[in-house]
Amino acid sequence: MLKAITALLNSVVDTVVPRSAEDRRADLYRSLIRREAKIGGELFGPTPPGVHREFFCLDENTIVFHEETTKNGKVAIKTIRYDVRPSGVLKTTNGQHYQSVSNEEASRLLKGLEVYKQRVHGELYPFVSA
Amino acid sequence: MNTAQLYMESREKRPEMGGVPVGPEIQRSAYQRINAIETVTKNLRVHVVQIPVEATPLPATNPLQAQQDMDVSKGAAQWQAGFVNDHRQSYTLDELLARAENN
């Protein structure tokens, strides 16, 4: 298991085209987010055919839910971005206006994030102490 | 834990990782990722816990915390149970999270 994870992570590095050290680090960081997003998308159960789902922490203040549904050749995209600010939690859907998040929704989001954290840590970063 | 400590710890763990080293670049990025996830979780928790604390006196055991612990320990497998016989093609995130909570 750990050997497989290590090989996977090292393969991420191999896919990053070496440019400047800073660019390489940024590419690596984005690659890790993409892998986390895939794990996060699995938290909500199996996706029906034609549905691609991602859920991930973008940075210290932002959580993203992204879903693409392909039906009859058309792709519908829904992106929900949660901004966790000191004053409260706001969300925007598909880049529209921000709205505040109810305490119930924030509570469920927190539970989702806790499971995401647990899975990402266990499946991608087991070599880092909690 | 800083990057150097992380790297040293990872070096110590190399034997149990099958002898395949995790490069320092990955270690550094992994640490940054975990730090970001921890921070956003901590900040979100502040908002979630605030309202129940103000609304009702806390008993000796915080039921919200206990519920969170239970949900986390249940893991994602429990979440999936409610979706097995459901053939809807699309859900809002809130619906997904609400269903996960009910499972």
Side-chain angles (χ1 to χ4, degrees):
Chain A
M1 174 68 175
L2 282 173
K3 191 181 281 187
I5 293 168
T6 309
L8 183 147
L9 288 171
N10 283 332
S11 73
V12 170
V13 172
D14 293 339
T15 61
V16 175
V17 178
R19 288 171 289 165
S20 72
E22 192 174 332
D23 286 346
R24 185 182 163 85
R25 275 196 293 274
D27 284 351
L28 173 59
Y29 194 82
R30 281 193 292 270
S31 295
L32 293 179
I33 292 179
R34 281 196 290 273
R35 291 185 185 272
E36 288 180 22
K38 189 176 175 186
I39 292 172
E42 295 170 359
L43 297 184
F44 309 102
T47 52
V51 175
H52 175 72
R53 188 181 292 150
E54 294 182 333
F55 177 79
F56 59 97
C57 160
L58 180 65
D59 56 36
E60 289 86 350
N61 305 303
T62 316
I63 304 158
V64 175
F65 175 86
H66 179 80
E67 189 173 79
E68 294 179 15
T69 304
T70 306
K71 194 173 182 181
N72 299 328
K74 292 183 178 178
V75 181
I77 297 176
K78 175 186 282 186
T79 302
I80 304 174
R81 176 187 169 121
Y82 288 89
D83 278 7
V84 182
R85 303 177 180 183
S87 56
V89 184
L90 300 175
K91 77 171 180 181
T92 174
T93 304
N94 290 344
Q96 300 298 309
H97 63 280
Y98 277 92
Q99 58 188 101
S100 63
V101 171
S102 70
N103 192 56
E104 287 179 348
E105 184 174 352
S107 176
R108 289 193 287 266
L109 180 63
L110 175 62
K111 288 169 186 169
L113 196 59
E114 293 277 12
V115 178
Y116 167 83
K117 183 173 75 170
Q118 187 183 49
R119 283 201 51 188
V120 163
H121 202 153
E123 295 177 29
L124 268 186
Y125 313 124
F127 51 91
V128 178
S129 299
Chain B
M1 181 184 290
N2 61 34
T3 303
Q5 287 172 317
L6 184 71
Y7 181 59
M8 291 307 293
E9 179 165 317
S10 179
R11 279 171 61 92
E12 290 166 3
K13 288 183 178 175
R14 281 180 185 181
E16 69 187 62
M17 299 183 78
V20 182
V22 174
E25 283 184 330
I26 289 180
Q27 293 169 36
R28 190 181 301 113
S29 295
Y31 180 67
Q32 288 173 345
R33 289 301 306 150
I34 287 174
N35 201 34
I37 296 167
E38 288 285 352
T39 302
V40 77
T41 305
K42 183 176 154 190
N43 291 340
L44 180 58
R45 190 179 294 121
V46 168
H47 294 298
V48 171
V49 174
Q50 266 180 351
I51 291 176
V53 167
E54 289 170 359
T56 55
L58 277 176
T61 302
N62 183 341
L64 184 62
Q65 185 62 49
Q67 178 68 30
Q68 286 173 5
D69 292 344
M70 188 180 72
D71 286 343
V72 170
S73 66
K74 276 162 63 179
Q78 290 288 327
W79 288 39
Q80 298 175 10
F83 290 86
V84 172
N85 296 317
D86 192 327
H87 302 293
R88 272 181 60 187
Q89 298 294 306
S90 177
Y91 300 87
T92 66
L93 175 60
D94 203 37
E95 283 176 323
L96 290 166
L97 292 170
R99 295 189 50 149
E101 188 177 39
N102 291 332
N103 283 331

